[in-house]
């Protein structure tokens, strides 16, 4: 076998070049150990590096093999890695000898260097197309380690809230934390029928995701009320059963705003749990991350609201530099005119940017040509615009409020303005709502006319 360090460095560079993903510390450890003749088990690697065996076995290692398989172009595992990697290195050296000029130039990425993925939904953890927002990710990672961590992520839909939550949870797992993710978008309407029904649903999901035996009926007393029951269940059972901190991630909590009485109960409960972390040691195991699209418009007393404690994160749109970076990861570079046009059209909204870059790369169509009919029913944003139109058809009050915003800043009713902002349709500054980007202005000007 070739020199160990040479193979390790080659593998790291190959993954970075072919996937756009940089291996982290523990992935590099597993890589190195897998290239040795006498390989350590995942349990040994976990123990030596202060990680849990399950995290190494079911999270870190599978991602590493996926990245290496993607980079090498063949299915890679712990057994065949040395031979495949060495052969790949030999092949590359042979290509370099026959085409030294091309190898030394190192310019111009092509789409084959990165795996194109759907712009819909969460950006996968192993994706090379995830764009970090300045220091936001690192700030969240450091915050979640604190005993009273309570992170509030706010941004319009399709801005990357779920992708950020996934990364916070993944980081927590690397610290041996227990992680639970609940999306209220996935809860059936019957779950929101009452505080009792909703909190039993929450407690049951947390119990199952932690792999604990449900003892909900042992702790649930109708005379105590749902808020006290769930508090006692967490304190007396869940938090005592786990040995490490737990990150409870709640995505889509704005679903609750449609049920003011339930929302009031639950948010007061979250604030009370946060207050418990001051004095009760068992509660310091609980770390909360919650995300929402809609501004909080239900009334809560200041000292009973969870929306004025902890760390507030508001996700920004992409900057021109981030868009250009993402374009390169898709295999091409935007001209200044293309970049300016794309930014003006989309306002830097991540989903709109990702969709345009994905289509340009996948269909091999220049961005300038792709954007020519972007604001029409024939363009690349056809489905998205129809989705936004569907919101207006379902809620005519939103359409009536949005129409005048297309021509001038307007002060709207608070709740309506917040709902339009949650859809990404407006920006709000000093109570004045303005249309968020040219895509919506052009399309809906034609629609309303």
């Amino acid at each position: 076998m070739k020199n160990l360090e040479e193979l390790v460095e080659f593998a790291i560079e190959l993954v970075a070049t072919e996937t756009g993903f940089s291996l982290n510390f523990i992935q590099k450890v597993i890589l190195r150990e897998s290239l040795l003749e006498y390989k350590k088990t995942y349990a040994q690697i976990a123990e030596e590096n202060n990680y849990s065996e399950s995290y190494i076995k079911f999270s870190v290692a599978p991602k590493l093999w996926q990245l290496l398989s993607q980079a090498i172009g063949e299915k890679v595992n712990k057994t065949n890695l040395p031979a495949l990697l060495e052969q790949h290195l030999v092949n590359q050296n042979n290509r370099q000898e026959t085409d030294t000029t091309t190898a030394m130039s190192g310019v111009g990425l092509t789409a084959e260097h990165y795996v194109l993925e759907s712009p819909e939904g969460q950006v996968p953890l192993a994706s090379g197309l995830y764009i970090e927002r300045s220091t936001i990710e690192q700030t969240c990672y450091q915050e979640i380690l604190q005993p009273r961590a309570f992170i509030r992520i706010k941004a319009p839909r399709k801005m990357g809230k779920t992708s950020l939550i996934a990364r916070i949870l993944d980081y927590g797992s690397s610290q041996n934390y227990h992680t639970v993710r609940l999306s209220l978008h996935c809860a059936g309407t019957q779950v929101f029928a009452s505080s009792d029904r909703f909190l039993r649903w929450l407690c049951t999901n947390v119990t199952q995701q932690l792999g604990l035996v449900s003892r909900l009926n042992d702790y649930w007393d109708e005379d105590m009320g749902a808020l006290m029951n769930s508090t006692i269940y967490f304190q007396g059972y869940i938090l005592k059963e786990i040995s490490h901190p737990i990150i409870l991630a709640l995505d889509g909590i704005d679903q609750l705003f449609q049920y003011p009485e339930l929302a009031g109960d639950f948010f007061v409960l979250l604030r009370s749990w946060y207050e418990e972390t001051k004095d009760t040691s068992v509660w310091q195991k609980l770390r909360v991350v919650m995300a929402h699209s809609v501004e909080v418009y239900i009334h809560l007393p200041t000292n009973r609201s969870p929306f004025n404690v902890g760390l507030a994160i508001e996700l920004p749109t992409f900057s021109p530099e981030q868009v250009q970076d993402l374009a390169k990861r898709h295999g091409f570079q935007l001209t200044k005119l293309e970049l300016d046009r794309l930014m003006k059209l989309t306002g830097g909204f991540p989903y709109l940017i990702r969709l345009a870059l994905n289509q340009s790369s996948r269909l091999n169509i220049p961005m300038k040509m792709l954007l020519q009919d972007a604001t029409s029913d024939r363009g690349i944003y056809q489905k998205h615009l129809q989705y936004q139109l569907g919101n207006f058809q379902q809620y005519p009050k939103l359409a009536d409020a949005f129409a005048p915003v297309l021509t001038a800043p307007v002060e709207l009713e608070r709740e309506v303005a917040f709902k339009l902002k949650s859809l990404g349709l407006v920006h709000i500054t000093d109570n004045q709502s303005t249309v968020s980007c040219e895509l919506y202005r052009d399309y809906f000007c034609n629609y309303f006319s």
Side-chain angles (χ1 to χ4, degrees):
M1 186 175 78
K2 287 186 175 292
N3 179 273
L4 173 64
E5 295 304 320
E6 182 182 6
L7 281 179
V8 170
E9 289 303 315
F10 172 67
I12 293 172
E13 292 177 8
L14 186 66
V15 168
T17 301
E18 298 295 333
T19 71
F21 189 86
S22 298
L23 298 185
N24 59 30
F25 166 75
I26 191 60
Q27 287 173 327
K28 292 177 183 178
V29 171
I30 297 174
L31 170 66
R32 183 183 300 275
E33 293 295 343
S34 300
L35 290 171
L36 293 173
E37 183 177 356
Y38 299 102
K39 299 174 175 58
K40 292 180 181 177
T41 64
Y42 290 143
Q44 291 173 316
I45 294 174
E47 183 177 359
E48 291 175 2
N49 293 277
N50 296 317
Y51 288 87
S52 68
E53 180 182 357
S54 61
Y55 177 67
I56 297 294
K57 187 174 182 180
F58 298 112
S59 182
V60 179
K63 292 175 193 171
L64 175 62
W65 305 131
Q66 177 187 354
L67 289 169
L68 286 166
S69 299
Q70 181 180 324
I72 292 176
E74 296 184 48
K75 184 70 173 178
V76 173
N77 55 42
K78 200 173 182 180
T79 303
N80 66 11
L81 173 64
L84 287 176
L85 201 57
E86 186 167 354
Q87 184 59 51
H88 209 74
L89 178 58
V90 170
N91 292 342
Q92 176 169 295
N93 289 338
N94 290 337
R95 287 195 299 270
Q96 288 177 336
E97 291 175 4
T98 59
D99 195 358
T100 305
T101 303
T102 301
M104 292 180 63
S105 65
V107 297
L109 294 173
T110 61
E112 66 183 10
H113 285 85
Y114 299 87
V115 173
L116 293 179
E117 57 201 28
S118 171
E120 305 292 337
Q122 176 194 319
V123 181
L125 286 172
S127 173
L129 302 181
Y130 181 77
I131 297 293
E132 293 198 352
R133 319 286 185 93
S134 184
T135 61
I136 285 179
E137 283 79 7
Q138 293 304 319
T139 298
C140 290
Y141 298 158
Q142 293 306 310
E143 183 69 17
I144 207 65
L145 299 179
Q146 306 308 312
R148 303 189 67 211
F150 197 104
I151 301 175
R152 297 178 284 113
I153 304 170
K154 182 179 69 175
R157 295 175 186 175
K158 296 181 178 290
M159 281 282 287
K161 298 184 296 298
T162 303
S163 296
L164 176 58
I165 285 177
R167 282 153 180 80
I168 295 172
L169 293 178
D170 184 62
Y171 179 77
S173 294
S174 75
Q175 305 300 310
N176 290 327
Y177 284 14
H178 303 282
T179 61
V180 173
R181 176 162 58 176
L182 297 176
S183 173
L184 272 62
H185 294 296
C186 298
T189 54
Q190 71 278 6
V191 168
F192 303 109
S194 67
S195 296
D196 188 84
R197 184 69 179 270
F198 176 75
L199 290 174
R200 286 183 69 93
W201 173 85
L202 182 142
C203 289
T204 299
N205 273 276
V206 172
T207 303
Q208 291 181 348
Q209 290 193 39
L210 291 175
L212 299 175
V213 175
S214 177
R215 296 183 57 192
L216 197 58
N217 291 332
D218 297 337
Y219 284 83
W220 217 262
D221 185 339
E222 291 184 4
D223 295 330
M224 296 288 287
L227 275 66
M228 184 58 69
N229 282 330
S230 54
T231 298
I232 293 174
Y233 186 70
F234 263 78
Q235 181 172 329
Y237 179 51
I238 290 179
L239 295 177
K240 283 189 176 180
E241 286 293 316
I242 58 177
S243 56
H244 298 286
I246 172 179
I247 303 175
L248 174 60
L250 304 169
D251 199 359
I253 62 166
D254 34 334
Q255 292 289 104
L256 293 177
F257 295 164
Q258 302 174 51
Y259 310 91
E261 185 176 340
L262 167 58
D265 284 348
F266 182 61
F267 294 141
V268 167
L269 178 68
L270 283 183
R271 175 62 183 262
S272 72
W273 288 358
Y274 175 78
E275 296 300 331
E276 290 285 355
T277 63
K278 291 181 179 178
D279 305 313
T280 309
S281 60
V282 70
W283 278 100
Q284 292 183 3
K285 293 181 184 178
L286 179 65
R287 318 289 162 88
V288 175
V289 180
M290 63 181 190
H292 57 106
S293 302
V294 180
E295 300 277 354
V296 182
Y297 54 81
I298 63 172
H299 176 71
L300 291 170
T302 302
N303 63 347
R304 303 184 73 188
S305 171
F307 296 99
N308 53 18
V309 296
L311 174 67
I313 297 291
E314 187 158 3
L315 296 182
T317 56
F318 283 161
S319 67
E321 292 76 19
Q322 289 172 319
V323 173
Q324 190 67 273
D325 178 15
L326 190 56
K328 291 179 180 178
R329 300 186 195 194
H330 278 79
F332 57 90
Q333 183 162 342
L334 298 169
T335 66
K336 186 179 184 306
L337 287 176
E338 289 173 334
L339 179 60
D340 290 346
R341 172 59 178 152
L342 185 58
M343 290 300 297
K344 186 176 181 181
L345 182 71
T346 66
F349 276 88
Y351 171 73
L352 300 179
I353 294 290
R354 292 183 67 217
L355 180 57
L357 296 177
N358 176 276
Q359 292 296 297
S360 181
S361 181
R362 187 180 298 278
L363 303 176
N364 196 26
I365 299 175
M367 185 62 67
K368 180 180 178 181
M369 184 180 301
L370 196 71
L371 298 181
Q372 285 178 353
D373 60 354
T375 61
S376 74
D377 285 322
R378 305 180 307 277
I380 58 172
Y381 297 117
Q382 175 189 9
K383 290 184 179 179
H384 177 68
L385 291 169
Q386 288 177 348
Y387 163 77
Q388 296 287 35
L389 183 58
N391 288 315
F392 286 152
Q393 293 169 340
Q394 185 175 0
Y395 304 104
K397 187 176 179 180
L398 292 183
D400 293 340
F402 185 60
V405 176
L406 294 170
T407 55
V410 177
E411 183 171 351
L412 300 174
E413 180 187 335
R414 189 164 177 259
E415 183 177 337
V416 170
F418 288 163
K419 287 182 177 179
L420 288 172
K421 182 180 178 181
S422 77
L423 294 170
L425 293 168
V426 303
H427 294 308
I428 303 175
T429 306
D430 297 329
N431 295 324
Q432 297 288 309
S433 295
T434 57
V435 66
S436 61
C437 63
E438 290 300 315
L439 174 65
Y440 298 138
R441 186 192 304 278
D442 291 353
Y443 180 79
F444 285 107
C445 275
N446 289 332
Y447 172 76
F448 287 121
S449 65

